[in-house]
């Protein structure tokens, strides 16, 4: 029997999402860990948020904002500010840090080669907030195969060409699903999931819903664990929620 050669690009992939709170000062240890993963043969795709930078830009314009379930309700006047902050400021600053550390990186957002096709999550409730419908994985494959790290800002593009604000964690899990990543790493400002007083080293997917219901997980942690559950259910073996020293919680399907 002969084995047919797969047409798929089969390199092992990791998606790393950098939360807004971690972006400004990535430390040397982070870049070391990053290069170690590349040297092991992993192709890495970076996605990022920028919540704190968006907050500052909105404050400057005296615009108040609020979140529901960790998602920022985004009005028409806000989406322009979100778009220009993430694509114009946060993304190039991160790309610069990577390039300076010797990691060739290219900045992208949902509009580039229709990278993130999106629809409104629920326009009546959230306004200009999107969810990921389709990812141009071919673009990502082409770049990573050429040794270039894609750095994706979490702005989606609707069919009509409208920019949509997508939570960074939602983009990260959407891309991880689309490229069949081996793992998803959500880097944030806390050492993983804290339940009462204890940071969890491991968690199983079935714990998550109850923790949200009881209020142990709230705010910005909600889109992270929801993205994690979607990845685990689609067969991605593990999702990690960690701080910049890569300490935190590993979430798995079963204990
Ligand atoms: N159970 C929990 N464990 C840890 N952090 C939690 C939990 N529930 C809510 N949070 C909050 O989630 C925050 C991380 O989300 P967020 O601020 O959106 O970070 P990022 O910008 O990295 O996406 C933490 O700083 C913490 O305030
Ligand atoms: C819809 C939604 O919530 N969008 C986020 C996008 C930025 C983000 O996700 O930033 P962090 O990774 O720092 O949380 C927002 O407007 O803040």
């Amino acid at each position: 029997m002969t084995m047919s050669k797969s047409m798929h690009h089969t390199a092992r992939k990791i998606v790393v999402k950098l939360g807004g709170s971690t972006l400004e000062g990535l430390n040397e240890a982070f870049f070391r860990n990053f290069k170690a993963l590349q040297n092991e043969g992993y192709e890495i795709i970076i996605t990022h948020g920028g919540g704190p930078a968006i907050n500052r830009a909105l404050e400057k314009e005296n615009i108040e904002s609020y979140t529901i379930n960790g998602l920022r309700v985004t009005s028409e006047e806000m989406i322009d500010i979100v778009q220009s902050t993430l694509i114009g400021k946060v993304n190039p600053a991160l790309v610069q840090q990577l390039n300076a550390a010797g990691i060739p990186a290219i900045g992208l957002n949902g509009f580039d080669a229709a990278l993130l096709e999106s629809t409104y999550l629920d326009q009546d409730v959230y306004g200009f907030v999107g969810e990921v419908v389709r990812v141009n994985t071919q673009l990502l494959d082409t770049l990573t195969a050429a040794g270039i790290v894609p750095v994706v800002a979490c702005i989606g593009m609707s069919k009509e060409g409208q920019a949509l604000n997508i939570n960074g964690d939602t983009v990260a899990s959407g891309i991880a699903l689309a490229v069949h990543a081996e793992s998803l790493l959500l880097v944030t400002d806390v050492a993983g999931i804290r339940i009462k007083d204890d940071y969890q080293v491991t968690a199983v997917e079935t714990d998550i819903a109850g923790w949200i219901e009881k209020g142990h997980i709230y705010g910005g942690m909600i889109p992270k664990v929801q993205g994690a559950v979607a990845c685990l259910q689609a067969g991605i073996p593990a999702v990690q929620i960690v701080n910049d020293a890569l300490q935190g919680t590993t979430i798995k399907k079963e204990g």
Side-chain angles (χ1 to χ4, degrees):
M1 199 175 89
T2 54
M3 300 276 282
S4 69
K5 272 198 190 129
S6 169
M7 293 295 285
H8 289 287
H9 185 67
T10 51
R12 303 164 80 188
K13 293 187 173 67
I14 297 179
V15 174
V16 177
K17 185 262 177 170
L18 300 174
S21 50
T22 68
L23 284 171
E24 269 137 54
L26 287 170
N27 55 29
E28 255 177 67
F30 175 83
F31 294 114
R32 248 200 324 278
N33 286 320
F34 193 96
K35 286 176 188 167
L37 286 172
Q38 285 185 318
N39 290 337
E40 283 174 43
Y42 285 105
E43 292 182 352
I44 301 175
I45 297 163
I46 293 184
T47 68
H48 67 84
I54 296 168
N55 288 337
R56 288 194 297 272
L58 292 174
E59 272 164 32
K60 242 187 185 169
E61 305 295 323
N62 287 312
I63 299 170
E64 290 199 22
S65 76
Y66 63 99
T67 61
I68 300 177
N69 297 326
L71 304 181
R72 189 190 307 270
V73 175
T74 306
S75 67
E76 190 162 13
E77 72 170 341
M78 283 165 64
I79 184 63
D80 282 346
I81 296 170
V82 171
Q83 180 179 12
S84 58
T85 303
L86 291 176
I87 299 176
K89 296 259 197 275
V90 179
N91 184 273
L94 175 56
V95 169
Q96 191 277 331
Q97 284 192 71
L98 290 158
N99 286 326
I103 299 165
I106 186 167
L108 298 169
N109 67 79
F111 284 88
D112 296 308
L115 178 57
L116 301 173
E117 231 180 73
S118 312
T119 54
Y120 290 84
L121 178 61
D122 181 341
Q123 197 171 4
D124 293 339
V125 176
Y126 294 101
F128 290 80
V129 168
E131 59 186 341
V132 179
V133 173
R134 192 163 58 195
V135 177
N136 183 347
T137 56
Q138 214 188 337
L139 173 68
L140 299 173
D141 280 352
T142 303
L143 292 168
T144 54
I148 301 166
V149 176
V151 179
V152 183
C154 54
I155 291 293
M157 179 198 68
S158 80
K159 263 211 164 70
E160 298 77 34
Q162 170 66 50
L164 295 174
N165 181 11
I166 311 182
N167 187 273
D169 300 311
T170 311
V171 167
S173 60
I175 291 179
L177 287 170
V179 303
H180 305 293
E182 195 170 297
S183 77
L184 169 62
L185 203 62
L186 300 171
V187 183
T188 183
D189 61 346
V190 287
I193 302 171
R194 189 185 65 240
I195 300 303
K196 295 173 182 162
D197 285 334
D198 296 318
Y199 281 97
Q200 308 293 301
V201 176
T202 58
V204 290
E205 181 212 318
T206 47
D207 292 332
I208 302 287
W211 284 342
I212 296 176
E213 214 167 287
K214 291 198 183 77
H216 295 320
I217 291 178
Y218 54 88
M221 191 54 69
I222 293 178
K224 293 184 205 307
V225 295
Q226 286 176 338
V229 167
C231 285
L232 294 167
Q233 288 180 349
I236 292 175
V239 176
Q240 285 170 284
I241 301 175
V242 296
N243 62 17
D244 62 356
L246 303 190
Q247 282 164 332
T249 309
T250 300
I251 313 173
K252 293 184 177 162
K253 205 155 165 64
E254 276 135 32

